[in-house]
Amino acid sequence: MIRKFLLLLVVIGLTGCAKPPKLDISLTLDKQKADLIFVKVKVVNMDDRATVPIAIELTGQAETNGHWDKSSSLLHPAAFVLNKGELREITKLWRVPADAARTTLTVKEQESGHLIKTERAEKVFVADAAPSTAKP
């Protein structure tokens, strides 16, 4: 009985010392055509060790003619582990006509469910914007 209690204390103690992984997370939205948005999520492990399995979810809404559509899931890949300094890029072609877009990015530890980051963003797309070109 005492052994079980001591083992439980050790497990609780080790769990309490666990730190969330240090991640550099970025999200970009680029409108490619009238009905196509290029969504890119970049996740970089900034720790000097591998991460626990990471679960990412991205939801989005598009605005057309002043009306927002219903929020929908854009990305929900399988959980993954990043090695020291590893970068993971996840892209999605979002086929929707939009004047603007709202997104919510949620990053959690898969096994424990601990929230690592939540980020909300809104981007307004400029109508009839000429594509940028590099000058020599």
mmCIF file of all heavy atoms in Angstrom, residues 69-91:
data_model
loop_
_atom_site.group_PDB
_atom_site.id
_atom_site.type_symbol
_atom_site.label_atom_id
_atom_site.label_comp_id
_atom_site.label_asym_id
_atom_site.label_seq_id
_atom_site.Cartn_x
_atom_site.Cartn_y
_atom_site.Cartn_z
ATOM 1 N N ASP A 69 -19.647 33.779 -43.406
ATOM 2 C CA ASP A 69 -20.208 32.438 -43.493
ATOM 3 C C ASP A 69 -19.985 31.699 -42.173
ATOM 4 O O ASP A 69 -19.370 32.229 -41.243
ATOM 5 C CB ASP A 69 -19.624 31.655 -44.677
ATOM 6 C CG ASP A 69 -18.145 31.326 -44.523
ATOM 7 O OD1 ASP A 69 -17.534 31.738 -43.518
ATOM 8 O OD2 ASP A 69 -17.591 30.649 -45.400
ATOM 9 N N LYS A 70 -20.474 30.493 -42.093
ATOM 10 C CA LYS A 70 -20.338 29.680 -40.890
ATOM 11 C C LYS A 70 -18.890 29.221 -40.747
ATOM 12 O O LYS A 70 -18.235 28.875 -41.732
ATOM 13 C CB LYS A 70 -21.261 28.465 -41.007
ATOM 14 C CG LYS A 70 -21.309 27.602 -39.794
ATOM 15 C CD LYS A 70 -22.300 26.474 -39.986
ATOM 16 C CE LYS A 70 -22.305 25.564 -38.788
ATOM 17 N NZ LYS A 70 -23.197 24.431 -38.972
ATOM 18 N N SER A 71 -18.386 29.205 -39.528
ATOM 19 C CA SER A 71 -17.029 28.752 -39.262
ATOM 20 C C SER A 71 -16.891 27.269 -39.613
ATOM 21 O O SER A 71 -17.779 26.469 -39.311
ATOM 22 C CB SER A 71 -16.687 28.959 -37.784
ATOM 23 O OG SER A 71 -15.370 28.561 -37.529
ATOM 24 N N SER A 72 -15.773 26.928 -40.253
ATOM 25 C CA SER A 72 -15.547 25.530 -40.625
ATOM 26 C C SER A 72 -14.097 25.150 -40.353
ATOM 27 O O SER A 72 -13.215 26.000 -40.285
ATOM 28 C CB SER A 72 -15.883 25.303 -42.100
ATOM 29 O OG SER A 72 -15.040 26.103 -42.916
ATOM 30 N N SER A 73 -13.860 23.862 -40.210
ATOM 31 C CA SER A 73 -12.517 23.357 -39.958
ATOM 32 C C SER A 73 -11.722 23.369 -41.256
ATOM 33 O O SER A 73 -12.159 22.823 -42.268
ATOM 34 C CB SER A 73 -12.591 21.937 -39.397
ATOM 35 O OG SER A 73 -11.291 21.443 -39.156
ATOM 36 N N LEU A 74 -10.548 24.009 -41.225
ATOM 37 C CA LEU A 74 -9.684 24.068 -42.403
ATOM 38 C C LEU A 74 -8.559 23.050 -42.321
ATOM 39 O O LEU A 74 -8.223 22.420 -43.312
ATOM 40 C CB LEU A 74 -9.082 25.468 -42.557
ATOM 41 C CG LEU A 74 -10.059 26.616 -42.719
ATOM 42 C CD1 LEU A 74 -9.313 27.937 -42.788
ATOM 43 C CD2 LEU A 74 -10.901 26.413 -43.964
ATOM 44 N N LEU A 75 -7.956 22.932 -41.157
ATOM 45 C CA LEU A 75 -6.851 22.001 -40.941
ATOM 46 C C LEU A 75 -7.058 21.253 -39.640
ATOM 47 O O LEU A 75 -7.398 21.862 -38.621
ATOM 48 C CB LEU A 75 -5.520 22.754 -40.830
ATOM 49 C CG LEU A 75 -4.918 23.357 -42.069
ATOM 50 C CD1 LEU A 75 -3.700 24.196 -41.690
ATOM 51 C CD2 LEU A 75 -4.516 22.289 -43.054
ATOM 52 N N HIS A 76 -6.832 19.976 -39.686
ATOM 53 C CA HIS A 76 -6.848 19.147 -38.480
ATOM 54 C C HIS A 76 -5.990 17.917 -38.771
ATOM 55 O O HIS A 76 -6.492 16.794 -38.849
ATOM 56 C CB HIS A 76 -8.273 18.761 -38.099
ATOM 57 C CG HIS A 76 -8.373 18.175 -36.728
ATOM 58 N ND1 HIS A 76 -8.277 18.945 -35.593
ATOM 59 C CD2 HIS A 76 -8.524 16.917 -36.301
ATOM 60 C CE1 HIS A 76 -8.382 18.165 -34.534
ATOM 61 N NE2 HIS A 76 -8.534 16.930 -34.952
ATOM 62 N N PRO A 77 -4.667 18.133 -38.958
ATOM 63 C CA PRO A 77 -3.804 16.996 -39.287
ATOM 64 C C PRO A 77 -3.604 16.080 -38.086
ATOM 65 O O PRO A 77 -3.885 16.464 -36.946
ATOM 66 C CB PRO A 77 -2.480 17.669 -39.674
ATOM 67 C CG PRO A 77 -2.478 18.949 -38.909
ATOM 68 C CD PRO A 77 -3.923 19.377 -38.846
ATOM 69 N N ALA A 78 -3.104 14.891 -38.348
ATOM 70 C CA ALA A 78 -2.769 13.969 -37.267
ATOM 71 C C ALA A 78 -1.695 14.608 -36.394
ATOM 72 O O ALA A 78 -0.865 15.391 -36.873
ATOM 73 C CB ALA A 78 -2.265 12.649 -37.836
ATOM 74 N N ALA A 79 -1.709 14.288 -35.108
ATOM 75 C CA ALA A 79 -0.712 14.828 -34.181
ATOM 76 C C ALA A 79 0.682 14.397 -34.629
ATOM 77 O O ALA A 79 0.858 13.335 -35.230
ATOM 78 C CB ALA A 79 -0.995 14.331 -32.772
ATOM 79 N N PHE A 80 1.661 15.242 -34.352
ATOM 80 C CA PHE A 80 3.031 14.948 -34.770
ATOM 81 C C PHE A 80 4.016 15.396 -33.704
ATOM 82 O O PHE A 80 3.710 16.224 -32.857
ATOM 83 C CB PHE A 80 3.350 15.617 -36.113
ATOM 84 C CG PHE A 80 3.130 17.109 -36.129
ATOM 85 C CD1 PHE A 80 4.133 17.985 -35.766
ATOM 86 C CD2 PHE A 80 1.892 17.629 -36.504
ATOM 87 C CE1 PHE A 80 3.927 19.354 -35.782
ATOM 88 C CE2 PHE A 80 1.681 18.999 -36.524
ATOM 89 C CZ PHE A 80 2.700 19.862 -36.157
ATOM 90 N N VAL A 81 5.233 14.842 -33.780
ATOM 91 C CA VAL A 81 6.324 15.176 -32.867
ATOM 92 C C VAL A 81 7.390 15.892 -33.677
ATOM 93 O O VAL A 81 7.691 15.505 -34.806
ATOM 94 C CB VAL A 81 6.916 13.900 -32.224
ATOM 95 C CG1 VAL A 81 8.155 14.214 -31.401
ATOM 96 C CG2 VAL A 81 5.870 13.206 -31.370
ATOM 97 N N LEU A 82 7.960 16.957 -33.103
ATOM 98 C CA LEU A 82 9.046 17.678 -33.756
ATOM 99 C C LEU A 82 10.349 17.425 -33.008
ATOM 100 O O LEU A 82 10.390 17.513 -31.781
ATOM 101 C CB LEU A 82 8.770 19.186 -33.766
ATOM 102 C CG LEU A 82 7.583 19.656 -34.587
ATOM 103 C CD1 LEU A 82 7.348 21.144 -34.369
ATOM 104 C CD2 LEU A 82 7.816 19.374 -36.062
ATOM 105 N N ASN A 83 11.413 17.106 -33.741
ATOM 106 C CA ASN A 83 12.729 16.971 -33.140
ATOM 107 C C ASN A 83 13.306 18.347 -32.845
ATOM 108 O O ASN A 83 12.752 19.359 -33.255
ATOM 109 C CB ASN A 83 13.666 16.206 -34.081
ATOM 110 C CG ASN A 83 13.255 14.763 -34.226
ATOM 111 O OD1 ASN A 83 12.886 14.125 -33.249
ATOM 112 N ND2 ASN A 83 13.299 14.254 -35.437
ATOM 113 N N LYS A 84 14.426 18.388 -32.173
ATOM 114 C CA LYS A 84 15.103 19.645 -31.822
ATOM 115 C C LYS A 84 15.300 20.502 -33.077
ATOM 116 O O LYS A 84 15.879 20.059 -34.061
ATOM 117 C CB LYS A 84 16.453 19.315 -31.199
ATOM 118 C CG LYS A 84 17.315 20.505 -30.908
ATOM 119 C CD LYS A 84 18.651 20.054 -30.358
ATOM 120 C CE LYS A 84 19.611 21.218 -30.251
ATOM 121 N NZ LYS A 84 20.921 20.787 -29.759
ATOM 122 N N GLY A 85 14.752 21.734 -33.051
ATOM 123 C CA GLY A 85 14.927 22.677 -34.152
ATOM 124 C C GLY A 85 14.167 22.351 -35.423
ATOM 125 O O GLY A 85 14.304 23.054 -36.419
ATOM 126 N N GLU A 86 13.352 21.318 -35.422
ATOM 127 C CA GLU A 86 12.643 20.900 -36.642
ATOM 128 C C GLU A 86 11.510 21.859 -36.995
ATOM 129 O O GLU A 86 10.838 22.395 -36.131
ATOM 130 C CB GLU A 86 12.088 19.493 -36.450
ATOM 131 C CG GLU A 86 11.441 18.924 -37.695
ATOM 132 C CD GLU A 86 10.928 17.500 -37.526
ATOM 133 O OE1 GLU A 86 11.109 16.920 -36.429
ATOM 134 O OE2 GLU A 86 10.352 16.974 -38.474
ATOM 135 N N LEU A 87 11.315 22.051 -38.297
ATOM 136 C CA LEU A 87 10.251 22.894 -38.843
ATOM 137 C C LEU A 87 9.230 22.012 -39.546
ATOM 138 O O LEU A 87 9.593 21.101 -40.292
ATOM 139 C CB LEU A 87 10.836 23.892 -39.847
ATOM 140 C CG LEU A 87 9.863 24.560 -40.815
ATOM 141 C CD1 LEU A 87 8.992 25.566 -40.098
ATOM 142 C CD2 LEU A 87 10.620 25.227 -41.947
ATOM 143 N N ARG A 88 7.953 22.307 -39.329
ATOM 144 C CA ARG A 88 6.877 21.618 -40.044
ATOM 145 C C ARG A 88 6.017 22.688 -40.683
ATOM 146 O O ARG A 88 5.558 23.606 -40.013
ATOM 147 C CB ARG A 88 6.051 20.786 -39.071
ATOM 148 C CG ARG A 88 4.812 20.102 -39.607
ATOM 149 C CD ARG A 88 5.065 18.852 -40.435
ATOM 150 N NE ARG A 88 5.924 17.882 -39.820
ATOM 151 C CZ ARG A 88 5.530 16.733 -39.283
ATOM 152 N NH1 ARG A 88 4.266 16.423 -39.275
ATOM 153 N NH2 ARG A 88 6.415 15.904 -38.776
ATOM 154 N N GLU A 89 5.816 22.588 -41.998
ATOM 155 C CA GLU A 89 4.938 23.501 -42.728
ATOM 156 C C GLU A 89 3.726 22.718 -43.201
ATOM 157 O O GLU A 89 3.864 21.651 -43.786
ATOM 158 C CB GLU A 89 5.642 24.071 -43.960
ATOM 159 C CG GLU A 89 6.311 25.359 -43.735
ATOM 160 C CD GLU A 89 6.835 25.966 -45.034
ATOM 161 O OE1 GLU A 89 6.393 25.577 -46.128
ATOM 162 O OE2 GLU A 89 7.690 26.823 -44.926
ATOM 163 N N ILE A 90 2.566 23.276 -42.929
ATOM 164 C CA ILE A 90 1.317 22.649 -43.344
ATOM 165 C C ILE A 90 0.574 23.667 -44.198
ATOM 166 O O ILE A 90 0.367 24.804 -43.772
ATOM 167 C CB ILE A 90 0.466 22.236 -42.129
ATOM 168 C CG1 ILE A 90 1.271 21.325 -41.204
ATOM 169 C CG2 ILE A 90 -0.820 21.567 -42.576
ATOM 170 C CD1 ILE A 90 0.657 21.109 -39.849
ATOM 171 N N THR A 91 0.192 23.263 -45.402
ATOM 172 C CA THR A 91 -0.500 24.183 -46.303
ATOM 173 C C THR A 91 -1.869 23.647 -46.674
ATOM 174 O O THR A 91 -2.116 22.444 -46.651
ATOM 175 C CB THR A 91 0.307 24.412 -47.601
ATOM 176 O OG1 THR A 91 0.533 23.156 -48.229
ATOM 177 C CG2 THR A 91 1.626 25.070 -47.310
#
